[in-house]
Amino acid sequence: MQRCLVALVASLVACGPPKPSVTVPAPVGTGATEGTAEPKPTKQGDALAPPQPTLRLPRNFLPTSYAARLVIDPKRDDFDGSIQIAGEVSERSSVIWLHGRKLTIRKAVAQQAGVEVALAVTPKGEDFLEIRAQKPLDPGAWTLAIDYKGELDKLNTAGAFKQIVADQSYVFTQLEALYARRIFPCFDEPDNKVPWKLTLDVPKPLVAVSNTPQTGESQVSDTMKRVEFAQTKPLPSYLVAFGVGPFEIVDAGKTKRGTPVRVITLAKRRAEGAWAAKTSPRLLELLEDWFGSPYPYEKLDLMSIPLTVGFGAMENAGLITFTERLILIDPVKASKEREHRYVVVAAHEIAHQWFGDLVTMKYWDDIWLNEGFANWVESKASAKIDPTYRDDQAELTMRNDALNADAIVSARQIRQPIESTDDILTAFDGITYDKGASVLAMFESYLGADVFQKGVRDHLAKHAYGNATSTDFAQSISQASGKDVDAAFASFLEQAGAPEITATLSCQGGKASVALAQKRYVPPGSPTPPAGKPWIVPVCVVYDKGGGARGEACTLLSAETGTLELPASKTKACPRWMHPNVNGRGYYRSPYTTAQVTALRDEAWPKLSWTERRTLYFDVTDLATSGKLPLATALSFVPKLLAGNDRFTVPPALDFSIWIRDFVPDELLPKYEAWVRTTFGPGARKAGFTPRAKDTLDVEITRLELLHAVAWIGRDPMLVDEAVKLSDKWRDLPQSIRELVLHIAVDAKPEFFEKIRKDVYTEPDRTRRGEMFSALASVRDVERQKQALALVLDPKLDIRETLDIFGNSTTRMNHTVAQQFFREHHEEVMKRVPTDDTAGPLAGLAYIYTWSCAADQRDAIADYVTKTFGKLPGGPRVVKQAIERMDQCIARRKLLEPELRAWLGGIKLPKPTGNAAPQAVNKP
């Protein structure tokens, strides 16, 4: 599943797969995982009667297959259902338990060889159904037949939900992680992986799609038809999916192995499915090659959903869903970034068809086995769709993002024990996705790509159509490599945080070595973490070998300290420099002394790869903002990064330069903005707003980043004027610059702000509408900002689109205004917002306040967000992390402000020419 992180929320087998057996396979897994134990069953006479579960279901009944028929009419607000659940009763039982939420049970019986036993079904709590038999069910095979009614959700995009676009109604599904129970009475846990057969009764004019190909269609009435689908291969409940609506179908042809691929678009949006139709079959073929096995399902459909909350795409077997802003792409004006984004997300979801679908984790504590793998594999396919993407470089970006997510003491461990549903809801985060992928990349580099790939293929072959754990995977890699990596993997999976490895070069007796020492990285502002164990981490260094050559050496550091002996250099002299992370593949941070940084910057730079340079820059900027290196040292790397002139070097240089703005004292902001214009203005003006036909993804993104820095942050008058002129026909602009032009013009011209504010009500295009909301939310003038915030309360607008307005404030004053507005209208907002996010808990609204980074408000903010958001789903962990982030920010501000004053006070800028830069409206 691809997370859809809104701004305010901290924003592989040479042979083919076996054919499913005609007989129903036994369920996989029969026991609860650690940390999820349930109360011991009790006896009623000689029959088992387990008490109400608190998280996981008792195992005295396990389904072996499902057959469900649903009546789905998108014009209704509910649906009718009947389901036959074949399963095994393990011992004589009077009570069995299923998951079920918001289901009204009409009738239920248990059937066995012509015998029928009445069942009384009673909802218990929010998620459980107590199934009490009129007489005890003896051990053996039974079928539970249940008739019921359910709801179509009109706000949350969870379970079966309804959406209306251009007066056309649709029904979609999203069942990960805990939402299958809203459609089916079922065993809604991933280790119960069995075949499903689905039949849908739908209005005659509509199209119905599901995980498998359609096998039949018949008339039910004058207005309704029955659509039958083939039985699935074994699936966990959360991967079952369907859609019903006036869809248009784009035939994308077949892959080389014969798999049919289709794009399912919304009505009258067929043309926008062309890019997905062009690239998806090729992605599927590339991943078949990498995994070494054919695609494991009969067909692949890729379906658009108008609007999703908490997720952007979902890997349902054979029916991948995407929010429309990912898959429906303007064939004329689309940006390269938009096209690339689809390719990356589609690669992620298609990779899941092997990792996640073919082989599923046993329980949610191992969700990283799905998401971390998909994140790790996606670039292996997307990089080959277009060589100019150079997506192999994206691994380091993901590693850096993971290290940032891991930079709080309250961070989760990758394999997080699941003790409540909150632990499931908060498991879809940067630790699962990015850290999981980065740990895989590190061990792939350590063991060798071919060896690691063999381990992955062996793992998939061994567990195909079943479930597996982290231990199972580590064993597969150990067997393929001939090295026992179980403990090394566990050291990263089962404890939170990231190593900080100090590497010190020394030379004695003509021999060079590197002394290594590791500890947990803890930035200023965080509490002291609990004691942990040393990581077992591959450490590879690159060093000056003499004669202009570079050398590399590796070791496995398994204790708090260690030594790495370096092979003799060509000149037998002591190496002049050493970089402690070859190609940035090690998942750790590295502290440097000023002398080490100077040598790497001034002497080693030409010998380092770009990933090594970026790794160095990442560490240096962190050290500078933690008071361990001068700020000027970090800023000295900015021109060196800009010289890379691509989307992996220019944005980091600009991002750091812009990030420090939040710590600049108010009275020095004009000088800071002038520094931005002087430093980055020539590049931005040369790039200009106008895209060119030959632009690559690199060119497009670097242009946008430069323009954002200079025109938006630096408020360069020439570029502001140009953007205002372009805004006259903003809808016709190329997508790559359209949103930035809107931001600038809405901020610069009150009358244009008012026009956009009115036009957003009638704008039919969801992408443009999103750009309009974003621009309105970012306006600096506080009176106009209040008008933009009021849009969140307007029932004529969809709050799922407007809620991000709270998170797009530009200045410190704007942050304060947004906070006060939310506080005043808290009840109104909370009554309208979706509460069932799949991967972005609503408690992330706490960041509206913790972004303040104000020491004098710290305790009051912490108290408010704890009381306001701490009881929401996923709230305790999210709020705790938000408060710790605030504490870190406060600590960095204290360290940085004196340096910023000294730096800005000491720089001399050229006198301005032409129009003077605009003064701040409502100085932050």
Side-chain angles (χ1 to χ4, degrees), residues 148-168:
Y148 61 99
K149 181 182 288 287
E151 301 176 4
L152 296 176
D153 203 313
K154 293 182 286 184
L155 177 63
N156 301 287
T157 56
F161 58 93
K162 172 181 177 177
Q163 295 190 355
I164 302 174
V165 180
D167 298 323
Q168 299 269 29

Side-chain angles (χ1 to χ4, degrees), residues 344 468 480 737 755:
V344 171
I737 64 165
K755 174 178 172 53

Side-chain angles (χ1 to χ4, degrees), residues 31-38 55-56 362-366 413 415-420 423 469-471 494:
T33 61
E34 56 188 292
T36 61
E38 293 298 334
L55 182 62
R56 303 203 64 182
K362 281 192 176 181
Y363 198 56
W364 299 108
D365 52 354
D366 270 330
Q413 60 196 58
R415 193 173 191 270
Q416 182 71 36
I418 303 297
E419 298 174 351
S420 68
D423 291 326
T469 66
S470 294
T471 300
E494 296 177 1

